[in-house]
């Protein structure tokens, strides 16, 4: 079901008011980005009417777009000011990349599934999101060419924090990643300051698997 442009704008502001602000999303830049990026454009036509619901949705290939609250929480944990270079692992439908693109200088995003990469790139072009650079690859190895990154976000869950990502994280730098077993994980906010790595769990989550040489096997 399609709602029409005005109704999508209303659905977004309701999503911000009812799902994000009351749950501790306080970074106004994050709230503004979530209120302005057209989430419905990132899901297939038949799901557009549900795009702002308080749940994840399928995006094909057995993958999902995260619930709005989780996108906002992960983005807020990166504490972006606007000047940063950000690496995202798991482009998926490209929604999280589009949110990041409004909040930092440049987003490098890696996806392992070709069909998702192609669809996401098409939307970035349509929306003229010129500061997103994407490629198909195993993101558990990061993207060494453009690092170090001020912030890194991993939108699939691995058994541990991939070493390559810690190496490509700037100092100071922030990384957010779900880590645990295949069914449930801790969403970790990792920080690097003066060469020292610290981490804390900010939420219990359930993500699709991070598959690759420093992740799970298929
Ligand atoms: N940020 C996405 C979330 C997509 S789900 C969005 O807004 O839609 C997570 C994605 O991570 C999936 O598309 C999956 O294919 C991808 N993924 C899993 N392992 C990966 C890896 N090693 N490298 C790159 N992408 C990976």
């Amino acid at each position: 079901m399609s709602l029409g442009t005005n109704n999508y704008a209303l659905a977004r502001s309701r999503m911000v008011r009812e799902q994000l602000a009351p749950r501790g999303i306080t970074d106004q830049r994050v709230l503004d980005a979530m209120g302005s990026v057209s989430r419905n454009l990132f899901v297939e036509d038949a799901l557009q009417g549900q795009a702002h619901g308080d749940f994840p949705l399928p995006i094909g290939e057995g993958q999902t777009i995260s619930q709005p609250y989780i996108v906002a929480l992960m983005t807020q944990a990166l504490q972006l000011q606007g000047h940063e270079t950000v690496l995202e692992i798991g482009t998926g439908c490209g929604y999280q990349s589009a949110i990041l693109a409004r909040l930092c200088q440049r987003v490098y995003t890696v996806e392992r599934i070709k069909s998702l990469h192609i669809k996401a790139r098409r939307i970035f072009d349509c929306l003229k999101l010129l500061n997103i650079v994407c490629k198909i690859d195993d993101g558990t190895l990061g993207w060494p060419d453009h690092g170090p990154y001020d912030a890194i976000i991993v939108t699939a869950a691995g058994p541990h924090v991939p070493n390559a990502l810690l190496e490509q994280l700037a100092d100071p730098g922030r990384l957010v990643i779900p880590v645990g077993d295949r069914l449930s994980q801790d969403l970790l906010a990792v920080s690097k300051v003066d060469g020292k790595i610290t981490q804390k769990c900010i939420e219990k989550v359930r993500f699709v698997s991070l598959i690759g040489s420093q992740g799970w096997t298929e």
Side-chain angles (χ1 to χ4, degrees):
M1 185 186 63
S2 178
L3 293 178
T5 317
N6 276 342
N7 289 332
Y8 284 122
L10 283 175
R12 282 198 301 277
S13 59
R14 202 167 74 209
M15 172 185 88
V16 168
R17 210 172 48 244
E18 293 176 2
Q19 299 173 38
L20 309 184
R23 290 185 183 139
I25 307 301
T26 53
D27 183 330
Q28 193 56 47
R29 296 179 73 239
V30 174
L31 293 171
D32 290 346
M34 298 287 300
S36 58
V37 174
S38 299
R39 183 171 161 96
N40 56 295
L41 299 181
F42 293 83
V43 298
E44 65 181 78
D45 291 355
L47 295 177
Q48 290 213 9
Q50 299 175 58
H52 300 88
D54 193 14
F55 38 76
L57 285 171
I59 56 170
E61 307 281 355
Q63 308 303 317
T64 53
I65 175 175
S66 298
Q67 174 191 9
Y69 164 64
I70 295 295
V71 173
L73 182 68
M74 292 176 86
T75 308
Q76 178 168 270
L78 298 178
Q79 298 181 12
L80 301 172
Q81 309 288 316
H83 60 269
E84 296 86 353
T85 301
V86 178
L87 175 65
E88 178 191 28
I89 308 306
T91 314
C93 68
Y95 176 67
Q96 174 76 71
S97 329
I99 295 288
L100 293 168
R102 295 186 73 95
L103 298 171
C104 72
Q105 184 114 48
R106 190 173 290 259
V107 181
Y108 291 94
T109 180
V110 185
E111 171 57 52
R112 61 182 283 277
I113 299 176
K114 187 175 176 187
S115 62
L116 295 177
H117 160 87
I118 289 173
K119 262 197 261 174
R121 200 173 53 188
R122 202 173 298 141
I123 299 186
F124 300 152
D125 287 347
C126 275
L127 298 181
K128 301 207 167 37
L129 298 171
L130 303 176
N131 61 339
I132 302 178
V133 185
C134 51
K135 72 162 176 172
I136 305 168
D137 212 335
D138 174 6
T140 64
L141 301 173
W143 193 340
D145 303 1
H146 304 290
Y149 300 95
D150 303 300
I152 300 180
I153 176 169
V154 185
T155 63
H160 57 81
V161 184
N163 254 329
L165 300 185
L166 286 175
E167 278 161 18
Q168 290 167 38
L169 186 62
D171 188 346
R174 290 177 191 284
L175 185 161
V176 61
I177 179 173
V179 170
D181 60 34
R182 294 253 195 182
L183 292 181
S184 74
Q185 306 95 25
D186 288 345
L187 183 58
L188 300 182
V190 179
S191 137
K192 189 194 267 188
V193 178
D194 296 332
K196 199 168 147 242
I197 306 284
T198 53
Q199 66 179 50
K200 64 174 181 199
C201 170
I202 55 173
E203 189 65 273
K204 293 282 180 193
V205 288
R206 181 176 185 157
F207 272 76
V208 297
S209 297
L210 179 69
I211 293 167
S213 65
Q214 291 189 33
W216 299 103
T217 53
E218 200 146 0

